[in-house]
Amino acid sequence: MKVTIIDYNAGNVQSVLFALQRLGVEAALSSDPETIRSADKVIFPGVGEANTTMGYLRERGLDEVIRGLEQPVLGICLGMQLLCAHSEENDTECLGIIPQQVVRFKPKEGEKIPHMGWNSIYNLDPALFSPELEKEYVYFVHSYFVESGPYTIATTDYVQPFSAALRKGNFMATQFHPEKSGAAGAAILQQFLNL
Amino acid sequence: MLAKRIIPCLDIKDGRTVKGVNFVNLRDAGDPVELGALYSEQGADELVFLDITATHEKRKTLAALAKDIAAHLSIPFTIGGGIRSMQDVEVLLNAGADKISVNSAAVRTPQLIEDLAKGFGSQFVVVAVDARQVGGEWLVHLNGGRLKTDIRLLDWVKEAENRGAGEILFTSMDHDGTKNGFANEITAAVSDTVSIPVIASGGAGEMSHFHEVFTKGKADAGLAASIFHFREISISELKHYLQGKGVTMRL
């Protein structure tokens, strides 16, 4: 199986490579359109700022490449947010693949931003999650989020209930970091690889 | 519900764990990766590796260590100790570190926090602060606590947040090593001053101390070293105890 991780200067690419390695998969890191298009699975990771990252993707024509992908794609964290229509983070037009808005948390007194640490996920869709993972803890680090909606396939509560994961067709995405979420995260990555 | 985090801290010198680590069942108690993996199995939520190597080879050994940890562990980890420049940090990020912590260098050059946050994102930047009470005033100390400054703790954590820090790691030097409990009152003041997460460090001696720092101290995470290294408290037992006390834990 050929797994390609889209290389666009995202911070945690190394962690994703290592997580796949622990599952016995040697993924390729690439920004070459053909290498991305010909992969069996594509992972679109992300740590960083939305506007700069979208600019980087557009300059290299990777926005069009990602929109045209037909194999299973997994967006992670910022990668998930960029699959959406628009982000409040520096008023960024995103890829528009999943018609959802990315907005900033409006914390109440005593609630910290970023939402950082382990939180439990529930209402899991079997497309990406085995039933044993219901209420399991996974690792989040983010200040922007997507509200629950028609594409939500996992929910988490922080400030309010929101989308821990999204799916539209072959595009799947997690707001949390499966590559940093211990055994639960490894199970989710494995299920994605099995699709 | 977001869980409170339990974070073991490992001191590293020349790529090895230093300072009394007492794990009889480890093949090699000095291997930070092996020790980290053991803590991870026991339920540690994150790990902090503090490098105390003083040589100029430091940057290279630290990057190699970060890569080794990232390859073997599937929980987040922070690396800190003597980080001074963007170059120091970039190497660690590329090696797979999730966060870096800056301490003295950030006080000497506060612009560093802004540069790091802009370059790598706030979530990557932990500002570590050592402070102790001097004449009734909590003052920031540098160089592992050896050098007193006139900077007030609460002023500094606010400035660190404003400049882009993603998290504060606060150590009370007055409590560190005493095992008499965390500095709950001032930790709560730090937590109320900033709107980013606060890791409390210094003073853990028994399980109830963690309960206090998460309630009275308003901390988001509790960090400790020797009580875990010497197996005075097992992480798994601690987390079950806290869950029983109504603190949200990842079990």
Side-chain angles (χ1 to χ4, degrees):
Chain A
M1 180 172 46
K2 200 175 140 201
V3 179
T4 300
I5 300 174
I6 300 176
D7 183 14
Y8 66 99
N9 265 349
N12 69 333
V13 168
Q14 193 59 252
S15 306
V16 177
L17 275 171
F18 282 139
L20 294 171
Q21 237 169 49
R22 288 191 290 267
L23 296 172
V25 174
E26 288 297 331
L29 189 60
S30 178
S31 57
D32 169 52
E34 215 23 66
T35 309
I36 297 170
R37 283 195 198 102
S38 65
D40 300 307
K41 304 273 162 27
V42 175
I43 297 183
F44 181 37
V47 167
E49 186 273 322
N51 207 23
T52 313
T53 308
M54 271 311 297
Y56 188 96
L57 292 175
R58 277 193 205 100
E59 272 168 37
R60 286 158 184 77
L62 288 173
D63 54 337
E64 280 310 315
V65 173
I66 296 169
R67 281 192 199 100
L69 293 175
E70 290 172 356
Q71 63 275 62
V73 178
L74 180 66
I76 297 175
C77 198
L78 179 64
M80 176 190 109
Q81 298 182 354
L82 295 181
L83 291 176
C84 293
H86 179 267
S87 172
E88 263 183 23
E89 186 173 19
N90 295 317
D91 191 17
T92 302
E93 280 310 316
C94 300
L95 293 164
I97 293 166
I98 304 176
Q100 291 280 289
Q101 301 293 313
V102 182
V103 294
R104 191 172 165 86
F105 280 117
K106 288 162 193 72
K108 298 184 279 283
E109 183 72 30
E111 288 171 328
K112 306 294 183 71
I113 301 296
H115 171 224
M116 180 186 281
W118 298 82
N119 207 332
S120 60
I121 49 175
Y122 62 92
N123 284 349
L124 305 180
D125 185 305
L128 196 57
F129 304 96
S130 71
E132 313 75 275
L133 293 176
E134 188 76 19
K135 300 218 170 93
E136 189 56 74
Y137 282 84
V138 291
Y139 190 79
F140 291 85
V141 187
H142 61 122
S143 302
Y144 294 81
F145 72 100
V146 174
E147 289 199 15
S148 295
Y151 305 101
T152 303
I153 57 167
T155 306
T156 295
D157 295 343
Y158 189 71
V159 182
Q160 64 174 83
F162 69 90
S163 301
L166 296 170
R167 179 190 180 192
K168 185 169 183 262
N170 58 314
F171 289 92
M172 271 147 278
T174 62
Q175 180 61 71
F176 57 88
H177 289 276
E179 76 280 11
K180 283 287 157 185
S181 295
I188 294 162
L189 285 175
Q190 185 63 61
Q191 185 154 344
F192 172 73
L193 294 175
N194 292 347
L195 286 173
Chain B
M1 277 272 283
L2 181 63
K4 299 286 188 184
R5 288 169 280 154
I6 301 293
I7 308 178
C9 178
L10 290 83
D11 282 348
I12 306 295
K13 191 178 181 193
D14 302 321
R16 315 283 296 164
T17 311
V18 292
K19 157 170 136 179
V21 174
N22 185 20
F23 275 106
V24 286
N25 52 352
L26 279 188
R27 283 197 304 278
D28 173 4
D31 181 349
V33 178
E34 202 168 340
L35 186 55
L38 188 72
Y39 284 139
S40 171
E41 277 163 37
Q42 294 173 345
D45 296 305
E46 267 181 65
L47 297 167
V48 169
F49 296 87
L50 279 185
D51 189 271
I52 57 170
T53 311
T55 62
H56 59 279
E57 284 292 294
K58 178 175 184 140
R59 194 185 284 173
K60 226 189 278 171
T61 51
L62 206 51
L65 175 66
K67 196 157 192 175
D68 204 11
I69 298 163
H72 292 95
L73 293 186
S74 57
I75 60 170
F77 67 96
T78 301
I79 288 203
I83 289 170
R84 286 186 188 86
S85 67
M86 293 288 280
Q87 289 76 11
D88 289 344
V89 169
E90 192 159 17
V91 177
L92 294 173
L93 176 73
N94 291 335
D98 298 288
K99 309 177 197 178
I100 51 92
S101 88
V102 282
N103 191 329
S104 304
V107 177
R108 292 201 175 93
T109 319
Q111 177 68 33
L112 180 63
I113 303 174
E114 277 169 63
D115 294 344
L116 291 172
K118 231 172 242 144
F120 310 108
S122 280
Q123 82 291 332
F124 192 64
V125 185
V126 181
V127 171
V129 186
D130 299 327
R132 74 172 352 141
Q133 255 179 317
V134 182
E137 191 90 69
W138 281 90
L139 296 179
V140 174
H141 285 62
L142 305 183
N143 296 4
R146 291 187 296 276
L147 185 66
K148 181 176 88 73
T149 72
D150 294 327
I151 303 166
R152 282 196 298 244
L153 170 64
L154 297 184
D155 294 344
W156 172 238
V157 294
K158 190 70 204 166
E159 181 176 350
E161 177 186 29
N162 290 341
R163 288 181 182 269
E167 204 169 17
I168 299 289
L169 165 52
F170 165 59
T171 303
S172 163
M173 295 161 55
D174 291 336
H175 295 71
D176 202 24
T178 65
K179 299 197 175 180
N180 288 329
F182 292 92
N184 296 315
E185 206 175 313
I186 188 67
T187 300
V190 169
S191 195
D192 285 338
T193 300
V194 295
S195 57
I196 51 178
V198 174
I199 305 168
S201 154
E206 43 193 89
M207 296 202 284
S208 63
H209 294 156
F210 286 89
H211 181 239
E212 285 161 11
V213 84
F214 289 139
T215 50
K216 286 183 209 154
K218 300 185 181 178
D220 299 285
L223 178 141
S226 59
I227 53 155
F228 297 137
H229 301 332
F230 289 103
R231 293 195 295 180
E232 291 162 26
I233 294 179
S234 98
I235 293 170
S236 161
E237 198 186 340
L238 172 63
K239 291 180 82 174
H240 280 94
Y241 162 86
L242 290 166
Q243 177 94 329
K245 289 271 188 187
V247 180
T248 306
M249 285 279 130
R250 173 183 74 112
L251 293 176

